[in-house]
């Protein structure tokens, strides 16, 4: 059914006068009368009673008027919603993250995103880095926050955050007086039998030392499919 016929019928049903309805629709009366007649033939139902003095709705016409209004209203809502989705104003995204990436910076980004796009629903999923890459390829997630970058076709990586790695040692550890240590220092200390592991638990007094060198920082990457 042509949507225009619904608009023509609504105009006639509201005006209850073909001439006024035609003026409202910016058309002449004969084509309008023909469109209403075609609509009635298509439905197999008489919608309007016409005399030389008046036009009125039949019971079936009154019901059809209500339904026609609902159809046009829903159509307009659907068009509006579709346009918003296309513009990225409404919709749904699934964001995956590793536990160690769920810090204040990620929370702040998501909070600002929600404030800017309140009609976009966000689903958060905690996933390992390797699982995120596969989930992105499978279309299960849209964005991921992970710890390492691995070459993956059709996936874009961006550094989201860089963090300095720290070494935790007790006060009596040989490296406790150092401000900065390297992986080599840790390896040498372990091989020399200093008596302490690299990471300790249950100690009351611990020192936090900056790790230096090539492996002194770790990045959180943001992954997503690039726009074509």
């Amino acid at each position: 059914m042509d949507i225009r016929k619904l608009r023509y019928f609504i105009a006639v049903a509201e005006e209850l006068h073909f001439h006024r309805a035609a003026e409202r629709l910016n058309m002449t009366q004969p084509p309008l009368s023909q469109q209403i007649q075609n609509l009635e033939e298509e439905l197999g139902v008489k919608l309007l009673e016409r005399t030389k003095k008046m036009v009125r709705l039949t019971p079936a016409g009154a019901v059809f008027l209500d339904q026609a209004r609902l159809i046009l209203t829903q159509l307009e809502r659907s068009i509006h919603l579709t346009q918003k989705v296309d513009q990225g104003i409404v919709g749904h995204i699934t964001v995956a993250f590793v536990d160690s990436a769920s810090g204040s910076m990620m929370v702040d980004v998501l909070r600002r995103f929600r404030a800017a796009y309140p009609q976009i629903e966000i689903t958060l999923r905690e996933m390992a880095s390797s699982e995120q890459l596969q989930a992105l390829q499978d279309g299960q997630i849209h964005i991921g926050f992970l710890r390492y970058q691995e070459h993956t076709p059709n996936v874009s990586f961006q550094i989201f955050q860089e963090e300095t790695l720290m070494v935790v040692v007790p006060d009596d550890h040989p490296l406790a007086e150092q401000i900065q240590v390297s992986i080599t220092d840790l390896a040498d200390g372990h091989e020399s039998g200093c008596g302490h592991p690299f990471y300790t638990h249950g100690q009351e007094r611990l020192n936090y030392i900056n790790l230096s060198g090539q492996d002194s920082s770790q990045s959180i990457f943001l992954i997503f499919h690039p726009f074509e």
Side-chain angles (χ1 to χ4, degrees), residues 170 172-174 189-198 200 203:
D172 57 349
H173 193 283
H190 182 66
E191 291 171 358
S192 65
C194 63
H196 293 289
F198 296 153
T200 60
Q203 300 284 346

Side-chain angles (χ1 to χ4, degrees), residues 102-119:
S102 58
S104 59
M105 188 170 177
M106 190 187 90
V107 172
D108 180 61
V109 168
L110 294 177
R111 185 184 297 116
R112 286 189 283 117
F113 182 88
R114 278 199 172 106
Y117 303 97
Q119 296 185 71

Side-chain angles (χ1 to χ4, degrees), residues 21-91:
E23 289 182 340
R24 172 174 157 181
L25 294 166
N26 296 314
M27 61 189 301
T28 59
Q29 182 176 334
L32 177 59
S33 298
Q34 185 62 52
Q35 289 292 335
I36 298 300
Q37 183 178 339
N38 292 344
L39 176 62
E40 290 178 321
E41 291 175 356
E42 185 175 348
L43 295 174
V45 174
K46 190 174 183 61
L47 300 173
L48 297 166
E49 291 182 359
R50 311 168 182 82
T51 67
K52 291 183 177 180
K53 295 183 178 181
M54 61 174 291
V55 175
R56 67 182 178 185
L57 289 167
T58 65
V63 171
F64 190 72
L65 175 61
D66 290 338
Q67 297 303 311
R69 286 169 173 163
L70 288 175
I71 290 170
L72 291 184
T73 298
Q74 184 59 49
L75 176 62
E76 290 172 0
R77 287 177 179 172
S78 299
I79 292 172
H80 188 55
L81 178 60
T82 301
Q83 291 171 339
K84 281 190 170 184
V85 171
D86 182 64
Q87 297 165 6
I89 299 175
V90 300

Side-chain angles (χ1 to χ4, degrees), residues 111-129:
R111 185 184 297 116
R112 286 189 283 117
F113 182 88
R114 278 199 172 106
Y117 303 97
Q119 296 185 71
I120 295 183
E121 180 185 354
I122 302 176
T123 298
L124 298 176
R125 295 179 59 185
E126 183 177 345
M127 301 176 68
S129 295

